[in-house]
Amino acid sequence: MSLEIVDVNGLATIQDSGRIGWRKFGVPVSGPMDAFAFHSANNLVGNDSNCAAIEIGLGDITLRALRDCVVSVAGVGYGLSIYIWDFPLWSSYYVRAGWTIRLNKLDSGMWAYLAIAVGIQTQPILDSRSTYLRGHFGGLEGRQLQAGDMLRAGTPSRSLNYLAARTLLSDARPAYSDNPIIDVVMGPQEKYFTNESISTFISQEYTVSNTSDRMGYRLEGAALKHRSKAELISEGMTMGAIQVPSNGQPIVMMADSPTTGGYPKIGIVASADLPLLAQCMPGRSKIRFRETTVAKAQKKYQVLMSGLERIVEE
């Protein structure tokens, strides 16, 4: 065993890059809420991008290293301490056996990812180690992590000293903010909404609701009006799709998004801006939407993901 969960009062689960290829059977992808931070944490310790890591949100977690290892933490809204020292996020660190690792929630942001060299090893379910809490499978027994859990990691093929003291440059990270502007590609059911509602959607401010979760971020603001019916025959959905039910309040599908939905979709969040939305705090963060094109959204994503390689070694 490599890590022991000493204490946890937040939502801590094991996630890899997601359960790809199973949506046609009604199985959500799951995976990280903030994919950029997740991939950054893995890159910093030399892992494959699909290696499983710990996602922590909404609270604190304390772990103990059971053997010498290298860990990294990336994300927003957390303070990191290892043994008796405080450290910044977005870096990798050598941790000796017996030392504690603490992630303490701060008054901003939502999610952080703790990766360990070679990744956390659990039994894959449908080709993935991601935890899907509503389905009670994946991760560790399909549940949240709790005190006393023991986590196994593989054996690194490279020196721990080589993997430690690596940092992702700050200007390579997303422009996280409590009140971000989120790019959105309009459609596919844009015509289901009145012209006034389209104007409202891309000009008004929305608050992330306290009822938000890993399935979807509910937004509160000016209600959007449908031209006629507020329902349609269920069709495929994905992370970032923005449904608008009969109450006119948008819902952005997130990592545990259901595979189908029957409300009109006014647009979809550009993939590059999903990390910005994921790190918004329910009940506090306010967002605005800005219309973009598919081509611009694809280019923005390529530029963002290219930043994952901008790691410096100290």
Side-chain angles (χ1 to χ4, degrees):
M1 294 298 174
S2 301
L3 295 171
E4 176 188 3
I5 308 297
V6 177
D7 188 35
V8 58
N9 61 20
L11 176 59
T13 59
I14 294 171
Q15 301 292 339
D16 61 16
S17 59
R19 195 162 276 107
I20 308 301
W22 295 91
R23 283 192 295 176
K24 59 186 176 182
F25 301 109
V27 181
V29 173
S30 298
M33 290 287 281
D34 181 344
F36 186 89
F38 166 82
H39 289 305
S40 296
N42 270 325
N43 277 14
L44 286 165
V45 293
N47 286 350
D48 179 271
S49 62
N50 192 45
C51 283
I54 297 173
E55 178 183 82
I56 175 71
L58 305 173
D60 310 327
I61 189 170
T62 301
L63 308 95
R64 179 180 293 110
L66 301 178
R67 62 173 173 85
D68 290 358
C69 60
V70 171
V71 302
S72 65
V73 180
V76 183
Y78 278 84
L80 168 66
S81 65
I82 299 174
Y83 189 42
I84 60 174
W85 302 289
D86 295 331
F87 293 103
L89 274 56
W90 303 94
S91 295
S92 62
Y93 301 101
Y94 191 108
V95 182
R96 294 193 180 279
W99 285 5
T100 54
I101 306 164
R102 296 184 181 87
L103 278 169
N104 300 312
K105 186 71 181 69
L106 305 177
D107 192 28
S108 65
M110 279 291 292
W111 307 99
Y113 298 85
L114 187 151
I116 184 170
V118 194
I120 295 171
Q121 308 296 306
T122 61
Q123 179 63 45
I125 302 294
L126 302 180
D127 307 321
S128 171
R129 292 185 169 92
S130 281
T131 307
Y132 178 43
L133 292 174
R134 282 184 170 83
H136 304 288
F137 62 83
L140 191 64
E141 302 173 355
R143 59 169 173 79
Q144 300 180 41
L145 297 178
Q146 59 192 31
D149 286 341
M150 302 286 189
L151 304 179
R152 185 185 303 276
T155 302
S157 59
R158 288 182 282 179
S159 164
L160 294 183
N161 289 328
Y162 171 80
L163 296 172
R166 291 153 51 91
T167 298
L168 184 73
L169 294 173
S170 59
D171 61 1
R173 307 167 198 168
Y176 294 110
S177 168
D178 281 342
N179 304 295
I181 296 175
I182 305 295
D183 281 348
V184 60
V185 177
M186 301 301 291
Q189 281 97 33
E190 180 182 0
K191 294 182 178 180
Y192 277 57
F193 300 90
T194 65
N195 293 335
E196 292 78 8
S197 289
I198 298 298
S199 297
T200 295
F201 176 70
I202 58 177
S203 65
Q204 297 298 306
E205 194 172 67
Y206 286 89
T207 301
V208 179
S209 170
N210 283 316
T211 59
S212 300
D213 57 20
R214 276 183 49 90
M215 178 179 286
Y217 273 17
R218 296 177 179 271
L219 306 181
E220 298 173 345
L224 305 178
K225 295 182 179 179
H226 303 82
R227 290 186 181 275
S228 55
K229 59 183 180 180
E231 296 183 5
L232 45 78
I233 296 174
S234 291
E235 61 180 22
M237 284 202 307
T238 187
M239 187 176 183
I242 307 170
Q243 285 199 123
V244 183
S246 57
N247 66 1
Q249 300 297 303
I251 307 172
V252 185
M253 299 296 103
M254 300 302 284
D256 284 342
S257 164
T259 58
T260 61
Y263 296 121
K265 292 173 284 297
I266 196 170
I268 184 166
V269 172
S271 296
D273 284 356
L274 280 170
L276 304 183
L277 179 60
Q279 295 291 359
C280 287
M281 290 188 69
R284 169 175 163 176
S285 294
K286 299 181 183 299
I287 67 173
R288 288 180 180 272
F289 291 109
R290 176 176 59 195
E291 185 175 1
T292 191
T293 65
V294 171
K296 288 180 179 179
Q298 291 174 337
K299 179 63 175 178
K300 188 175 185 179
Y301 182 75
Q302 292 170 357
V303 171
L304 175 67
M305 299 309 286
S306 68
L308 289 171
E309 305 303 322
R310 297 182 62 193
I311 292 174
V312 295
E313 300 177 2
E314 301 177 359

